[in-house]
């Protein structure tokens, strides 16, 4: 086999309920993930040694060493099976880099699935999910896609029903935000405050199941948003611009700085994207729908 390509979706957290810091430094979450139709593609090919390249917007910010989750995925899978991780990994990037849409996690899940196919390992799904959880809290969701509630540090997933198509606009900011820095700011802002146990919102899960966009818009919530806004105050203007442009609601995606706007239709999404692009409050926009499938092999197709 000359190469394997896997397509992996971005995610938006439609609810991100964050508990207090745990002794291990992580935070317990009630994290409602929704996969969206904005993808990275990860291609692996046999090589003399493990190497990595990346193309696309923001590619220059992507590390090409073993700190990259795609490289770590290849190393982890090879180690598990006692084989050499000799592959070239190429990432075609569309998901904003360090944007709060799980782009790095997507590449980790994609490389894991692609190497598994290239090396003919047929690793069982539950073992792949366990390896994903070792790579990072958001990586298991990148593998499964759709919609899911993540508890623990976000890696323990229960699939959720989605009753329709939701239309989104994502406003990409200049530069990224560090996830640990945003959680650190959350800790600072909640110091001395009793942080409640994170719990999934019934209204949000109902709206998701019923395909009710206005209901979902009213229930969107991200406990990391105040921390992301404290570190990047200009995001407040982006949120205002998207809502003024007709979005049902807007919120910071995950740890940011990408902002996500739910709209009532594909036409409304086009209008909101236009308003955002001309507002001068973001670098670029993407229109996407949800739910989207998880990591899946696109070539060779096996047909
Ligand atoms: O799991 P992952 O490596 O993606 O997490 C990156 C960082 O985000 C962690 O080092 C931690 O600072 C923060 N984090 C957290 N609680 C979570 C998930 C991530 O504090 N549930």
């Amino acid at each position: 086999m000359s190469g394997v390509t896997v397509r992996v979706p971005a995610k938006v957290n439609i609810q991100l309920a964050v508990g207090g810091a745990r002794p291990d430094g992580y935070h317990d979450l009630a994290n409602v993930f929704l996969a969206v139709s904005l993808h990275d593609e990860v291609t692996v090919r046999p090589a003399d040694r493990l190497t990595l390249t990346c193309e696309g917007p923001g590619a220059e910010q992507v590390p090409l060493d073993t700190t990259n989750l795609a490289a770590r995925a290849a190393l982890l899978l090879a180690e598990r099976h006692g084989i050499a991780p000799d592959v070239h990994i190429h990432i075609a990037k569309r998901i904003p880099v360090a944007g709060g849409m799980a782009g790095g996690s997507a590449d980790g899940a994609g490389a894991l699935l692609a190497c598994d196919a290239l090396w003919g390992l047929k690793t069982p799904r539950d073992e792949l999910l366990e390896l994903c959880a070792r790579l990072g809290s958001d990586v298991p969701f990148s593998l499964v896609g759709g919609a899911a509630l993540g508890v623990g540090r976000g890696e323990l997933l229960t699939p959720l029903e989605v009753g329709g198509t939701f239309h989104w606009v994502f406003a990409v900011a200049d530069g990224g935000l560090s996830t640990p820095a945003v959680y650190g700011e959350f800790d600072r802002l909640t110091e001395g405050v009793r942080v409640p146990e994170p719990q999934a919102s019934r209204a949000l899960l109902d709206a998701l199941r019923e395909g009710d966009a206005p209901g979902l818009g009213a229930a969107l919530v991200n406990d990391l948003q105040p921390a992301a806004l404290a570190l990047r105050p200009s995001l407040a203007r982006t949120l205002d611009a998207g809502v003024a442009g007709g979005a049902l609601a807007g919120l910071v995606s995950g740890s940011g700085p990408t902002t996500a706007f739910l709209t009532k239709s594909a036409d409304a999404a086009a209008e909101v994207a236009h308003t955002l692009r001309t507002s001068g409050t973001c670098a670029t926009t993407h229109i996407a729908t949800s739910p989207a499938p998880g990591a899946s092999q696109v070539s060779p197709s096996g047909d």
Side-chain angles (χ1 to χ4, degrees), residues 25-42:
Y26 283 92
H27 296 72
D28 276 323
L29 305 178
N31 190 351
V32 184
F33 292 104
L34 187 59
V36 301
S37 62
L38 176 63
H39 301 92
D40 280 0
E41 283 193 357
V42 181

Side-chain angles (χ1 to χ4, degrees), residues 3-7 41-45 90 110 114 296-300:
V4 174
T5 300
V6 169
R7 206 165 177 243
E41 283 193 357
V42 181
T43 300
V44 298
R45 291 197 170 80
H90 181 71
S296 44
Q297 188 174 324
V298 290
S299 82

Side-chain angles (χ1 to χ4, degrees), residues 25-29 69 105 135-138 152-154 179-181 183:
Y26 283 92
H27 296 72
D28 276 323
L29 305 178
L69 282 178
S105 300
L135 290 169
S137 308
D138 289 351
R153 58 188 171 84
T179 302
Y183 275 102

Side-chain angles (χ1 to χ4, degrees), residues 129-180:
L129 281 169
E130 177 232 309
L131 293 174
C132 285
R134 285 177 58 188
L135 290 169
S137 308
D138 289 351
V139 184
F141 180 72
S142 298
L143 189 73
V144 302
L149 171 64
V151 298
R153 58 188 171 84
E155 85 286 19
L156 306 171
L157 298 176
T158 306
L160 295 171
E161 236 180 282
V162 187
T165 300
F166 294 100
H167 299 270
W168 295 93
V169 180
F170 295 96
V172 181
D174 274 323
L177 266 179
S178 144
T179 302

